[in-house]
Amino acid sequence: MSALMEILARNRAGAGVGLPAWCTAHPETLAAVLSCYRGDAAPVLVEATCNQVNQEGGYTGMTPAGFRRFLEGIAAAEGVAAGRIILGGDHLGPNPWRAMAAEQAMDRARAMVAAYVEAGFSKIHLDASMPCGGEVLPEEVMAERAADLALVAERAAGGRALAYVIGTEVPVPGGETAVVDHLAVTAPAAVARVVELHRAAFARRGLGSVMERVAAVVVQPGVDFGNAQVVGFDPARAQGLRAAVPGLGGPVYEAHSTDYQEGAALRALVQGHFGILKVGPELTFAFRQAVFALERLAGLMGLPSGVEAALVAAMRAEPADWRAYVEPGPEEARMMIYGLSDRVRYYWPKPGVQAALRALFAAIRAADPAPGLVAQVTGGRVGPVDAARLPETIIRRMVGDVVARYRQATGE
């Protein structure tokens, strides 16, 4: 049994354990996450999404094989063995090509799933819930398409046992684009229907035994976030989901968009059979906080710095990645930078932003700031200050706080 399946089996049995899923392709943030695992032997689940990484490059420019090389290079630098990493593919289906006719989009999706599996990804979220070419898409067709993708995955695996996630009732990836007035928790009957539709579709393709490796179902437990709000978890509203797990025949739940939930809420999710907690924007939000703390430190020492200005310039020049998430008006200038959806993460690779970052880090290292100044910009933390490693130290402290909250909640 794989480490993932073993943990989820324990969760199903009531052990109150789970696994965080780190959903980011940002190199410094991933390095900070992986550094938190250096002193133990726990598995590390890192996920890439269909829009982010695919056979055509996605918005990161990486194929699945390229993402694996990229991640394993960071892990090696952080002293984390590649064998500990569980690679997950999220929302694998026709979403990147949904403007096409359905069969064209599904052909691309099949090629993507094969590329993920051939690259060594072992946790596969099959998500064919998105209508293609303006079609109306019933649940039965979603399940049939997911089963088609499972058949592709099994053939590409060459006998390697994959773990699958099914289910389509997910929050908006990356955070809501508007204030959420009402958030419905998935009904237990709806979960049972999703599982049964997939079970029947899998069986029609000779994949009946593969359903035993469906590790989790994505449902809405009542958590979400937007640029200016966090919808906290209320365990009482999800009691029906918790009680329904024994009747599902194997899988537990996967929770998306758990970013910014309090530790107690994350713990309650795990105890409610949400064995996988996915977090993404909060990680790069913490990276941004660390960089701006360093910029504040530069200001205290009279050093020039232009990171925030470079980010604003890049975001104004290319607004497509943030415009839908930020309401126009007097708060726009602040929310485009400080909003919880962290649309800033799309702009770190821009050449002007990278140049400003390098200049900031070099200035901080050369200035050798006093411990009291460092404490002032990092929330009062006082400790040894190694100027040569100070930017990395502050980044790892702030990202590490997020990692620690999730690891504690999942029983690691």
Side-chain angles (χ1 to χ4, degrees), residues 298-313:
L300 291 175
M301 294 186 292
L303 303 173
S305 178
V307 176
E308 184 169 357
L311 279 169
V312 170

Side-chain angles (χ1 to χ4, degrees), residues 68-333:
R68 178 177 181 171
R69 289 191 297 270
F70 160 77
L71 178 59
E72 289 183 349
I74 295 172
E78 296 302 326
V80 176
R84 293 173 57 190
I85 297 173
I86 302 168
L87 284 165
D90 198 25
H91 296 288
L92 301 191
N95 188 55
W97 307 283
R98 63 188 181 277
M100 298 179 178
E103 197 48 44
Q104 287 179 293
M106 282 299 294
D107 281 344
R108 301 286 183 93
R110 292 181 187 100
M112 177 176 63
V113 167
Y116 265 83
V117 174
E118 289 164 0
F121 285 68
S122 59
K123 176 185 176 288
I124 305 297
H125 175 206
L126 302 169
D127 183 5
S129 63
M130 55 292 300
C132 300
E135 66 182 343
V136 176
L137 190 61
E139 282 188 298
E140 292 85 352
V141 177
M142 296 180 197
E144 293 293 336
R145 290 178 182 175
D148 283 344
L149 297 176
L151 184 59
V152 170
E154 287 296 298
R155 288 171 175 169
R160 183 163 54 95
L162 304 174
Y164 292 98
V165 175
I166 59 172
T168 61
E169 194 160 330
V170 300
V172 175
E176 297 287 346
T177 57
V179 174
V180 177
D181 294 323
H182 177 71
L183 198 60
V185 175
T186 303
V191 184
R193 175 172 168 77
V194 165
V195 172
E196 287 310 310
L197 286 173
H198 281 76
R199 183 170 283 121
F202 276 45
R204 280 191 284 273
R205 289 156 182 80
L207 300 176
S209 63
V210 174
M211 276 298 297
E212 298 174 6
R213 288 187 271 114
V214 171
V217 186
V218 179
V219 298
Q220 174 52 273
V223 303
D224 205 350
F225 67 95
N227 218 32
Q229 70 173 149
V230 177
V231 181
F233 179 56
D234 180 354
R237 295 185 66 212
Q239 278 299 320
L241 286 172
R242 179 174 184 166
V245 163
L248 296 180
V252 292
Y253 302 126
E254 176 172 284
H256 288 220
S257 296
T258 67
D259 306 69
Y260 309 106
Q261 295 290 316
E262 296 286 346
L266 295 173
R267 186 70 186 145
L269 279 163
V270 174
Q271 291 171 339
H273 294 303
F274 285 86
I276 301 170
L277 304 179
K278 297 174 74 70
V279 54
E282 187 180 3
L283 298 170
T284 42
F285 184 91
F287 171 80
R288 196 270 311 151
Q289 286 180 297
V291 170
F292 282 15
L294 288 163
E295 192 156 52
R296 171 63 176 152
L297 179 59
L300 291 175
M301 294 186 292
L303 303 173
S305 178
V307 176
E308 184 169 357
L311 279 169
V312 170
M315 295 175 80
R316 289 296 185 193
E318 300 179 49
D321 285 316
W322 64 269
R323 179 70 277 173
Y325 292 80
V326 180
E327 184 178 351
E331 291 297 308
E332 177 179 296

Side-chain angles (χ1 to χ4, degrees), residues 322-374:
W322 64 269
R323 179 70 277 173
Y325 292 80
V326 180
E327 184 178 351
E331 291 297 308
E332 177 179 296
R334 283 183 287 271
M335 295 309 294
M336 65 186 282
I337 294 290
Y338 300 110
L340 299 180
S341 297
D342 191 47
R343 308 309 294 179
V344 172
R345 68 186 183 274
Y346 291 94
Y347 297 90
W348 292 116
K350 302 297 181 183
V353 177
Q354 283 296 302
L357 266 180
R358 288 192 297 270
L360 172 63
F361 290 0
I364 293 291
R365 292 183 181 111
D368 193 11
L373 294 179
V374 176

